Amino acid sequence: MFSNPLIFAFSLTFLAGISTGIGSILCLLYKKFNPKFLGIMLGISAGVMLYVSFVEILTKAKLSLSSVFGEKLGYTYTLLGFFTGILIIILIDKILPHQHPDEKQSETHDQKLLRLGIFSALALSIHNFPEGLATFLSALENPTYGISIASAIAIHNIPEGIAVAIPIYYATKNRKKAFLYSFLSGLTEPIGALIGYFILLQFFDESIFGAIFAGVAGMMVYICINELIPTAKEYAGKKLSTYGIVFGMFIMAVSLALFI
């Protein structure tokens, strides 16, 4: 089974990464447009991203940075990375066009949803890159442990795929485009494994991993606060969108707890 450790480790990473596509498929099976369904799903996406950002990604960042710089300095660098990530996504928000210059009307719902989906795909792609490298290296070192890591990542990649696919589908009404964006956001995991192993591994250490994870946590939290939650409330109302957020947190909590 493990005769070629490289192929085995890469295959695990690839399968874990493309599971984002499973999340998009599950959502895209729902054919009829329903504003409340969209709002609830956006709420679930926000819950998933908030929970994984604070409970998993930011925790990993602090542990990595503290192992290099010590507890106090590691915590300080984690905070700097977190708010740097927020600043980066704010700058990207300014760069991405919201509407044509000659148009005076406010941004349409479709434009907002499309931008939201692109933001989610971008943040998750950056997050999945080092995650893919970590999965790959774990599988190389210990195939059994690698299976557990890859399974956990695959499970929590499914709701992350929802966060990308749903807004893009409802913005474009194009299932193929929604699936493609979702699929590609997960594909950065095996890409991260390949590039990291053959090119970047000699430069990567715990401090770089920590900084990347802290920045990604900031990006994802900002996307939730600025984009996902307000849009969810707009479509589903305060109560239903809040239920969606809580349910999204529950889904992610269970998926992480299964492989502790």
Side-chain angles (χ1 to χ4, degrees):
M1 180 179 178
F2 307 136
S3 57
N4 192 321
L6 283 175
I7 293 176
F8 174 76
F10 179 76
S11 298
L12 273 183
T13 309
F14 179 79
L15 291 173
I18 64 171
S19 61
T20 54
I22 298 174
S24 66
I25 290 172
L26 291 175
C27 289
L28 300 179
L29 291 175
Y30 193 90
K31 296 181 179 180
K32 186 179 178 181
F33 176 76
N34 185 323
K36 290 187 177 180
F37 172 78
L38 172 58
I40 292 170
M41 293 308 298
L42 291 174
I44 290 173
S45 300
V48 165
M49 291 175 70
L50 282 173
Y51 191 91
V52 77
S53 295
F54 283 120
V55 176
E56 186 191 31
I57 301 175
L58 205 59
T59 300
K60 283 183 178 179
K62 183 178 177 295
L63 287 173
S64 295
L65 290 167
S66 296
S67 69
V68 177
F69 300 106
E71 191 71 22
K72 188 172 183 179
L73 203 55
Y75 180 71
T76 301
Y77 287 149
T78 301
L79 291 180
L80 285 173
F82 179 81
F83 288 105
T84 299
I86 291 177
L87 180 61
I88 289 171
I89 206 71
I90 289 173
L91 292 174
I92 292 172
D93 189 17
K94 298 294 184 183
I95 294 169
L96 283 177
H98 291 204
Q99 62 181 56
H100 297 295
D102 59 339
E103 291 179 344
K104 294 183 179 179
Q105 70 269 25
S106 60
E107 190 176 32
T108 67
H109 288 300
D110 286 351
Q111 288 171 328
K112 285 174 64 177
L113 287 172
L114 182 60
R115 186 162 54 88
L116 190 155
I118 292 172
F119 272 178
S120 299
L122 177 64
L124 291 171
S125 296
I126 297 171
H127 162 228
N128 287 340
F129 185 88
E131 193 176 71
L133 178 58
T135 306
F136 182 77
L137 294 178
S138 299
L140 273 182
E141 183 179 343
N142 185 329
T144 303
Y145 181 60
I147 291 173
S148 297
I149 295 292
S151 299
I153 288 173
I155 288 172
H156 83 241
N157 273 355
I158 292 173
E160 286 179 358
I162 294 171
V164 176
I166 279 292
I168 290 176
Y169 169 64
Y170 279 107
T172 64
K173 308 300 183 293
N174 188 321
R175 285 184 171 78
K176 289 182 180 178
K177 182 176 286 188
F179 173 79
L180 183 63
Y181 273 83
S182 178
F183 180 81
L184 290 177
S185 70
L187 205 59
T188 56
E189 287 202 8
I191 292 173
L194 285 177
I195 295 176
Y197 182 76
F198 292 109
I199 301 173
L200 301 177
L201 191 58
Q202 56 183 322
F203 304 108
F204 267 57
D205 58 18
E206 287 294 315
S207 62
I208 294 177
F209 271 116
I212 291 173
F213 273 84
V216 167
M219 289 181 182
M220 291 172 69
V221 168
Y222 180 82
I223 290 167
C224 290
I225 295 172
N226 189 59
E227 303 281 348
L228 278 170
I229 293 174
T231 309
K233 288 182 178 179
E234 187 178 340
Y235 280 98
K238 185 177 179 180
K239 185 176 288 186
L240 287 177
S241 60
T242 300
Y243 290 159
I245 293 167
V246 173
F247 186 61
M249 290 181 176
F250 175 75
I251 291 172
M252 186 53 67
V254 170
S255 73
L256 293 174
L258 285 174
F259 291 92
I260 290 178

